[in-house]
Amino acid sequence: MGSATSFRKKGVIPGCVAAALGIAGFLYRAILMALDVPPANSDEGTAGLAALHIGAGQHWPTFFYGQDYMGTFHSYVAAPLVQVLGTQWWVLRLPALAMYVVFLLLVFRLTRTLYTPWFAVFTMAVLALGSDRVVKDQIIGAGGYSDVATATAGLMLASTLLALQPEKRQVTFAVWGGLAGYIVWTHWLALPYVAAAVLLVVWMSRSELTMRRVSLAVAGFVVGAAPLIWFNIRSDHRNSISVLLSLSGTTEPAAWSDRLHGAVILGLPLSSGMCAPSRCATWQLWWGPTYLILMVTAAAIAVLAMRNADRDERRLHAGRLALVAGAAMTLAAYTASSSSAAAPIESARYLHYGLVSLPAVLWPLWIGVRSAVGRVGADKADGRSSPRPGVPGPSRRGVVLAAGCVALTGAVLAGLLVATGQLVAHRSVYAAKADGEQQLLDHLQGNGIRQIYSEYWTCNRLAYRSGEQIRCAVLDENLTPGLDRYRPYRDQVRQSEQVAYVLPASSAMTDRFARSTPPAVDVVSVRDIAGYQMYLCRQTPEQN
């Protein structure tokens, strides 16, 4: 009996259960990845092109092609894999899958440090499940989400360790600074967590912040943000601050009611894993307001607990409060952006880093469940179903709250399971898209078509999958030049005598092309293939 108790105290059993849940989550995502689920998009193709160019020693990009933000670490990691294993989507996604595993390890350690081992197991169960939106953010190989979420989890764990025992963890200051610098370079959407981490460390460890430790943190930050710093030094037209302000979207017209609806009612259920692919049913929207209530409750619990806590406990509650602050600031920033109103379904990915704070948000539910289980266990141990005479029982309000927490926890797990099942059920739709992409690719390559025009979401997918045997220039709906992430393709297509216009069937682009072809273009043949109308054309090459 004593050895069994010691076994449990060491947390081996919770650790084993958490490992089993993590392996299940990993296998679920690996199977989806092998089946090309979810389908790739052109942004992922752009990251793949960068990986191709890095692997060939052709380019060394600091940022995602076509913009001055979003670091390219994912492409650098994927470059050798693409060179060895080829331009399949699953190859490009391998680094993201590895990042998911590291993310689970870090969140488990963070939750176990700030809360309890079995609550950490419960958190692993939640994170092992995955709806369409969550899985897209975790395994699509475009970079900026899986890697930054992992860095954010690491940053909050390092901040917690520094807050709890700053005198024993000097090297952690360098790691902490490096993770903060990496986030600043790679994706600014996680800046609220950087702010929360800084506040936590300065607030709880200010008396231990020696010059050496501050120097280690600054040195780590410089290393992590080195590509961004170098960009600002050598750039003569834009700096990171101006880019950040131009991207905020706070000044763009959008009603605040629409922003709140997009961020809270739609965004929170989507980003938390409660919705079907690309839509949220009405019954799935309950999680948005519930999330807010739980977040406020978690903050109140931490603040009230800090008032009567000793030094060590105060630091623990401060770490919990920092997780809540990170989630709250992320949600506030997204709500202020016009993206929450203009494109809430797709832009819900901007709340992806909130998964790091999921333990803090779910903690009030766990307290209620633990209270309910404790009451039942105590009653069973005493062999009674009602209070002993003369001994006050739990208040009616307490019983109702405990029962409500149990029911709500069950609803959360049920919602996550249903959304995960909806993604699995949607696999046939995604498989058809993957088959269509391969069919189109085979047709183009089989007929020797190397230069094409198409829309944004098609171009770089075909360029990457063909290993750049196909070069594509982007057109907008008016058949005028669109956003070419990799600009050399446009010049190469313009200089070709034989091109193909590969336009989505039943689209405004196809209708416009059928009414009036572009100047100096003669249509040779038309063919419908895989949801596209392909116009094989001869054009007068443009000279540079």
Side-chain angles (χ1 to χ4, degrees), residues 18 107 161 202 208 258 272 300 331 375 410 417 454 460 483 513 521:
V107 173
L161 295 177
V202 172
E208 291 89 359
D258 293 336
S272 300
L331 179 60
R375 287 194 180 101
L417 282 168
S454 191
N460 286 353
L483 174 58
F513 191 93
V521 173

Side-chain angles (χ1 to χ4, degrees), residues 134-304:
V134 169
V135 170
K136 280 179 177 176
D137 295 335
Q138 288 174 338
I139 69 172
I140 279 185
Y145 290 93
S146 60
D147 55 328
V148 175
T150 302
T152 302
L155 178 68
M156 297 311 295
L157 175 59
S159 302
T160 298
L161 295 177
L162 290 175
L164 293 176
Q165 293 179 314
E167 68 282 354
K168 297 182 180 180
R169 304 181 183 275
Q170 293 197 42
V171 177
T172 309
F173 279 95
V175 176
W176 180 86
L179 291 170
Y182 176 78
I183 291 170
V184 170
W185 166 42
T186 307
H187 213 317
W188 292 331
L189 290 175
L191 286 181
Y193 281 94
V194 175
V198 171
L199 289 173
L200 175 60
V201 171
V202 172
W203 181 23
M204 288 290 109
S205 307
R206 58 186 179 275
S207 60
E208 291 89 359
L209 289 179
T210 63
M211 183 60 67
R212 173 181 170 78
R213 290 166 180 168
V214 173
S215 299
L216 285 171
V218 172
F221 180 87
V222 170
V223 171
L228 179 70
I229 295 170
W230 177 243
F231 165 79
N232 282 278
I233 290 174
R234 63 188 176 89
S235 176
D236 57 359
H237 62 289
R238 300 187 79 184
N239 58 59
S240 296
I241 300 299
S242 63
V243 173
L244 176 61
L245 293 175
S246 68
L247 293 172
S248 65
T250 55
T251 59
E252 297 180 15
W256 278 100
S257 59
D258 293 336
R259 296 178 192 238
L260 288 169
H261 182 270
V264 176
I265 305 300
L266 281 174
L268 288 174
L270 279 164
S271 64
S272 300
M274 292 284 188
C275 294
S278 300
R279 65 182 179 85
C280 263
T282 303
W283 65 269
Q284 292 172 314
L285 300 179
W286 65 273
W287 178 242
T290 304
Y291 184 103
L292 284 184
I293 293 171
L294 290 174
M295 186 170 65
V296 172
T297 303
I301 291 173
V303 170
L304 291 174

Side-chain angles (χ1 to χ4, degrees), residues 466-507:
S466 67
E468 292 195 287
Q469 292 182 31
I470 295 172
R471 310 297 175 93
C472 183
V474 178
L475 299 176
D476 62 17
E477 288 190 354
N478 297 318
L479 302 180
T480 55
L483 174 58
D484 285 293
R485 291 286 184 184
Y486 188 60
R487 189 57 186 269
Y489 286 167
R490 173 162 298 281
D491 296 332
Q492 294 167 13
V493 174
R494 281 175 171 174
Q495 293 166 21
S496 176
E497 292 185 2
Q498 177 178 287
V499 298
Y501 282 77
V502 182
L503 309 177
S506 304
S507 66

